[in-house]
Amino acid sequence: MATILEVANRAGVSKATVSRVLSGSGYVSPEKRERVDKAIAETGYRPNLLARNLATKTTQTIGLVVTNTLYSGNYFSELMFQSARIMEEHGRQLILADGKHTAAEEKAAIEYLLDMRCDGVIIYPRFLSISEMDEIISRHKQPILVINRRLRLNDSYCIFSDQHAASVTAVQQLIERGHRDIAFITGSLDSPTGLERLSGYKSALAEHDIGVKDALIVEGKWNAQSGMAAVDKLLAGGHAFSAIVASNDEMAIGAIKRLTECQIPVPSAVSVIGFDDIPLAPYTIPSLSSMKMPVSEMIKETIHRLVSMLDGGELSKRPSFPASLMLRDSVAAGPYWLADKARG
């Protein structure tokens, strides 16, 4: 393996000159720079990144911690695509670390990225508590930003969307269209997002004096298969329902498939709304209504805020990013709306 001394000897310059070319610091004449570049190409020299990072005190890398339970879904694909794209626009490299299955493992993933000398870290947490994340942020010099959770002590370090409010909007849309017996397919109940969306469902019913029926709430696992299983459980329970809100689009698509197989037409018999507005949503039959979560906007704001901090800028703050309802063919008027129209 070639050394920096071999490059210097071949180029006819000092080791210090080669180091200045590699680090981009200090003046080197165009003629000497050309000779060094040529010598590097001829020798196949590869600089020691760790040594260079220690010298320059920056790695131009940003770490991202995501638990592996998100890896298989459309939401993760969007999260990674937007993260990589926007990092590239800022001239930085993205390094992914697996948060695995516990708060301790999420914390270990953060420590790993910091040990790798990432300039900053972004967390998409599932298991760490608010107080634990506030403590981690306060303890480290490198900036650590949190997506999809609202912090108590470090408001400027979190970027989030109000999952509770998004769920309220979805349920209210169905109520306004004449639905009262609304079923809900939750996400995994160890997920903060899943719990907030369930809470929003219950709040929307309460605001309209509609009682919560436990038999109409079924736990899902964020995949289409669990959406199908949830419909089986709802039908087996024998309680009537004219609409389903599923905590993500994959489960909503699974629910539509099972309803169709059971000869229960969507939306004339049962309306369905999902969450996340995945790219496939407009192309299902019927096209799926969904709460569009602002993933790309949140990632863009997170990276912009982080890069601004690294460049010595002021830390910006922005309120919650709102979700928006994408109303499509999977929602129709419910029985109460039709009854009111008949009386009118």
Side-chain angles (χ1 to χ4, degrees):
M1 182 180 292
T3 67
I4 194 171
L5 180 59
E6 291 177 57
V7 173
N9 289 338
R10 182 177 286 265
V13 298
S14 67
K15 287 174 60 177
T17 299
V18 176
S19 295
R20 287 197 295 273
V21 171
L22 291 171
S23 66
S25 62
Y27 175 76
V28 179
S29 70
E31 185 267 335
K32 287 184 178 180
R33 185 179 298 276
E34 184 177 346
R35 281 158 48 194
V36 169
D37 289 338
K38 183 179 179 182
I40 289 173
E42 290 174 348
T43 60
Y45 173 73
R46 296 182 64 186
N48 185 318
L49 289 177
L50 179 59
R52 189 176 70 182
N53 293 341
L54 289 170
T56 62
K57 296 183 173 58
T58 181
T59 64
Q60 297 299 305
T61 60
I62 301 294
L64 174 64
V65 176
V66 182
T67 176
N68 62 30
T69 55
L70 289 176
Y71 287 4
S72 62
N74 283 276
Y75 189 90
F76 176 74
S77 297
E78 179 72 5
L79 176 70
M80 289 304 301
F81 170 75
Q82 296 296 343
S83 297
R85 181 183 66 82
I86 299 170
M87 289 286 188
E88 184 177 4
E89 290 177 358
H90 285 279
R92 283 175 162 85
Q93 185 65 258
L94 178 68
I95 299 179
L96 176 66
D98 184 4
K100 295 187 173 68
H101 312 289
T102 65
E105 288 171 317
E106 282 186 332
K107 189 179 296 185
I110 296 168
E111 297 290 347
Y112 169 77
L113 292 171
L114 294 174
D115 289 344
M116 291 287 289
R117 302 187 62 82
C118 289
D119 296 331
V121 174
I122 298 169
I123 319 170
Y124 193 101
R126 179 167 180 179
F127 303 107
L128 284 167
S129 69
I130 298 299
S131 59
E132 286 174 320
M133 286 184 287
D134 271 325
E135 189 272 333
I136 289 170
I137 290 169
S138 300
R139 185 160 46 88
H140 290 94
K141 291 183 179 180
Q142 293 111 309
I144 301 171
L145 271 64
V146 176
I147 301 178
N148 205 38
R149 300 283 288 281
R150 186 167 190 175
L151 303 177
R152 296 190 185 95
L153 303 180
N154 295 280
D155 279 353
S156 298
Y157 290 77
C158 63
I159 295 87
F160 62 96
S161 183
D162 192 332
Q163 305 288 347
H164 178 97
S167 188
V168 168
T169 298
V171 177
Q172 284 182 337
Q173 176 65 215
L174 293 169
I175 293 172
E176 290 170 5
R177 288 175 172 263
H179 295 277
R180 298 295 180 272
D181 299 309
I182 302 170
F184 191 83
I185 304 174
T186 76
S188 300
L189 293 181
D190 61 352
S191 158
T193 296
L195 291 172
E196 288 178 23
R197 290 177 180 175
L198 174 59
S199 173
Y201 161 78
K202 292 179 177 180
S203 293
L205 294 181
E207 288 175 13
H208 291 82
D209 297 320
I210 301 172
V212 175
K213 299 177 182 177
D214 290 338
L216 293 183
I217 301 174
V218 182
E219 183 177 357
K221 297 296 181 184
W222 302 115
N223 55 50
Q225 292 85 350
S226 67
M228 296 175 67
V231 169
D232 288 337
K233 188 170 182 178
L234 288 168
L235 295 176
H239 294 272
F241 57 93
S242 65
I244 295 175
V245 176
S247 289
N248 75 352
D249 288 345
E250 282 89 346
M251 293 191 297
I253 290 170
I256 290 174
K257 175 176 171 58
R258 180 62 86 213
L259 289 167
T260 302
E261 291 173 345
C262 294
Q263 298 184 340
I264 301 172
V266 177
S268 57
V270 176
S271 292
V272 178
I273 294 180
F275 277 81
D276 299 333
D277 193 38
I278 64 175
L280 187 62
Y283 302 102
T284 60
I285 300 176
S287 56
L288 178 62
S289 298
S290 182
M291 294 302 301
K292 182 177 179 64
M293 308 309 295
V295 179
S296 60
E297 291 86 351
M298 290 168 64
I299 289 292
K300 185 175 182 179
E301 171 66 16
T302 302
I303 296 173
H304 172 77
R305 197 178 297 187
L306 184 53
V307 170
S308 177
M309 294 170 67
L310 294 172
D311 291 342
E314 293 187 5
L315 188 58
S316 62
K317 294 178 69 172
R318 170 176 173 163
S320 169
F321 285 70
S324 53
L325 175 63
M326 309 303 291
L327 195 60
R328 301 189 179 98
D329 296 338
S330 66
V331 170
Y336 286 84
W337 185 87
L338 295 173
D340 290 343
K341 185 177 181 180
R343 284 195 296 269

